[in-house]
Amino acid sequence: MSQSGIPSAAHIELPPPAVSFRQAFLFWLKLGFISFGGPAGQISIMHQELVENRRWISERRFLHALNYCMVLPGPEAQQLATYIGWLMHRSWGGIVAGVLFVLPSLLILIALSWLYIAFGNLPLVAGLFYGIKPAVTAIVLQAAHRIGSRALKNNALWAIAAASFVAIFALQLPFPVIIAAAALTGYIGGRIAPDRFKTGGAHGKADQSFGAALIDDHTPTPTHAQFRWSTLSWIAIAGALLWSLPMGLLTVFYGWHGALTQMGWFFTKAALLTFGGAYAVLPYVYQGAVEHYGWLTPTQMIDGLALGETTPGPLIMVVAFVGFVGGYVKAVFGPDSLFLAGAAAAALVTWFTFLPSFLFILAGGPLIEATHHDLKFTAPLTAITAAVVGVILNLAVFFGYHVLWPQGFGGAFDWLSALIALAAAVALFRFKRNVIHVIAACAVSGLVLKMWVL
């Protein structure tokens, strides 16, 4: 190490010392509490810590793992942490990394959900959420723009995005049908006009070097990460048991149509549809949780997304809020155990939402480690990503409607909410402000308006 504190050339030519399981555990625990900023922010934190600072894994191997996680349904940042933890310390390393990425967020959301459902009608809380709701509308609109600017590279993909918006907004088709139609369109289009459905899965080029890494470009794949049919079989059996046993017990104790059983089944399906991130699957969660099952109201759904935006962990953790409110309102354990019902439902939906992510990594990781060249998105996935843009735009319209016309189109237009939404949009689009800062500023604005103006 040089006197200036910058690693010397001789220092960075040597890989860092081996990382113990305890050291890795402490890092993943820390990551679970600081992983704000959505998937982009979370991946950036991991890159800075694991590639640049600690040099546990090289740039190329990091991107290789990321590209695989981008192809999978589910939260890519959490899956990336699971992948790297698995690569370093076998299956338990991956499980610990993935669980600790989610656990702090789950505990925080259970506490916030209880405060929300128990004290949400207090003027202080109501004022804060009055300002937060318009901010969420602007945030979702920004998400549609951010994904669209990357995904919609030609007229064919624009057409798919427009068709998906019409399908869910005007025709009210179920989200899985839209995704299946987009995948079929991409499959056919990839054969007829491959250039229009060709895009890279990489987030960047692996052309930077931060010194020798513990898992470097040419480090041989460890024995536990090599593909074996026996290992794949055991993982498949374990995954089937980890899903079927709790689902079977829920069916026995509460019946197939019980609230907890239906939550387990519904969020299993949601976990397999999260192509394009949490914003893409939120319309599906809304269709099921609000319209079909009635676990929560449209306003509560918007508030839940706001809470998800302000807590660490993947945004899809909003499902914990949905589960808590559903279990609490439905009083699944009786009127005297409302908090317990909400907490149990939140933990339950988190289990069924994230179980597939662990199985995808532990089962598919060895196949990915068999080759170290970058993966590419397939044509169906390219079309799905385009369709996701239209679906997210519909979500922004849905939120905007409930925020700006709280009593429906027949009621008054909420000009103050419109001004807050406009200010949030300007802060996000024009000044590139941090999402959490925007939510905080809008919350204070809403509180001031509620307490002293309205």
Side-chain angles (χ1 to χ4, degrees):
M1 182 77 69
S2 68
Q3 292 182 350
S4 65
I6 300 174
S8 63
H11 175 73
I12 64 175
E13 287 177 358
L14 297 174
V19 178
S20 68
F21 188 89
R22 180 179 179 275
Q23 289 175 300
F25 179 94
L26 293 175
F27 170 76
W28 299 123
L29 178 61
K30 170 189 171 184
L31 182 65
F33 283 100
I34 65 172
S35 56
F36 291 94
Q42 294 155 1
I43 291 167
S44 176
I45 291 172
M46 280 192 281
H47 184 275
Q48 183 176 19
E49 288 285 340
L50 299 179
V51 178
E52 300 179 35
N53 298 342
R54 301 171 188 260
R55 293 186 289 127
W56 287 1
I57 188 169
S58 71
E59 171 95 350
R60 186 177 297 276
R61 296 290 282 269
F62 181 90
L63 289 177
H64 179 70
L66 175 58
N67 288 335
Y68 172 55
C69 296
M70 288 293 296
V71 172
L72 299 173
E76 61 265 31
Q78 186 265 352
Q79 291 170 333
L80 179 61
T82 305
Y83 191 108
I84 296 174
W86 162 78
L87 197 58
M88 294 181 64
H89 293 110
R90 310 174 69 90
S91 296
W92 277 113
I95 292 170
V96 164
V99 168
L100 291 180
F101 196 91
V102 171
L103 187 59
S105 178
L106 172 62
L107 298 178
I108 293 170
L109 273 173
I110 286 176
L112 291 178
S113 300
W114 176 71
L115 291 173
Y116 170 84
I117 201 74
F119 304 104
N121 292 325
L122 293 179
L124 173 64
V125 179
L128 292 172
F129 276 98
Y130 179 77
I132 288 174
K133 290 185 182 74
V136 169
T137 303
I139 289 167
V140 176
L141 189 62
Q142 185 206 30
H145 176 267
R146 187 175 65 246
I147 297 173
S149 63
R150 294 199 310 262
L152 307 181
K153 300 298 185 183
N154 55 61
N155 292 337
L157 298 178
W158 272 99
I160 292 174
S164 72
F165 175 78
V166 172
I168 195 167
F169 177 78
L171 304 180
Q172 298 183 340
L173 293 180
F175 181 67
V177 172
I178 296 171
I179 293 299
L184 180 60
T185 302
Y187 176 78
I188 297 172
R191 290 177 172 269
I192 298 174
D195 289 342
R196 292 182 174 272
F197 292 86
K198 182 167 60 178
T199 181
H203 272 225
K205 298 293 184 182
D207 56 2
Q208 290 183 281
S209 177
F210 300 93
L214 193 62
I215 302 175
D216 218 334
D217 292 354
H218 303 293
T219 302
T221 300
T223 303
H224 74 270
Q226 296 174 1
F227 178 77
R228 293 183 179 85
W229 281 108
S230 58
T231 303
L232 180 61
S233 299
W234 278 113
I235 292 172
I237 292 171
L241 290 174
L242 289 172
W243 182 86
S244 59
L245 286 178
M247 183 60 71
L249 290 174
L250 290 171
T251 304
V252 169
F253 285 104
Y254 301 103
W256 177 250
H257 296 289
L260 293 178
T261 311
Q262 286 299 299
M263 284 183 185
W265 176 239
F266 175 75
F267 285 102
T268 296
K269 293 184 290 183
L272 301 175
L273 293 170
T274 49
F275 293 100
Y279 285 112
V281 79
L282 283 176
Y284 178 64
V285 174
Y286 166 76
Q287 284 181 334
V290 177
E291 294 182 345
H292 182 69
Y293 293 106
W295 293 328
L296 72 173
T297 67
T299 299
Q300 289 172 334
M301 185 72 189
I302 301 173
D303 294 341
L305 181 57
L307 290 178
E309 290 277 9
T310 56
T311 54
L315 181 58
I316 192 60
M317 281 303 297
V318 69
V319 301
F321 174 85
V322 174
F324 186 96
V325 174
Y328 191 103
V329 171
K330 297 294 185 182
V332 294
F333 294 158
D336 297 326
S337 302
L338 297 181
F339 173 81
L340 180 61
L348 179 79
V349 302
T350 301
W351 172 270
F352 284 105
T353 299
F354 284 90
L355 178 61
S357 290
F358 287 96
L359 298 177
F360 287 141
I361 299 301
L362 298 180
L367 295 171
I368 302 307
E369 279 298 306
T371 173
H372 291 161
H373 58 75
D374 290 341
L375 295 177
K376 301 296 182 183
F377 282 121
T378 63
L381 286 172
T382 301
I384 287 174
T385 304
V388 158
V389 177
V391 171
I392 297 174
L393 181 59
N394 170 75
L395 188 68
V397 172
F398 158 74
F399 281 173
Y401 164 72
H402 284 281
V403 169
L404 302 181
W405 286 275
Q407 307 301 323
F409 282 127
F413 180 79
D414 192 334
W415 288 100
L416 292 176
S417 289
L419 289 175
I420 295 175
L422 180 61
V426 170
L428 291 167
F429 284 92
R430 175 67 179 85
F431 297 103
K432 312 296 182 185
R433 301 302 299 177
N434 182 278
V435 167
I436 295 177
H437 295 165
V438 172
I439 288 178
C442 292
V444 173
S445 300
L447 179 61
V448 170
L449 290 172
K450 273 288 188 181
M451 299 293 284
W452 287 284
V453 178
L454 297 179

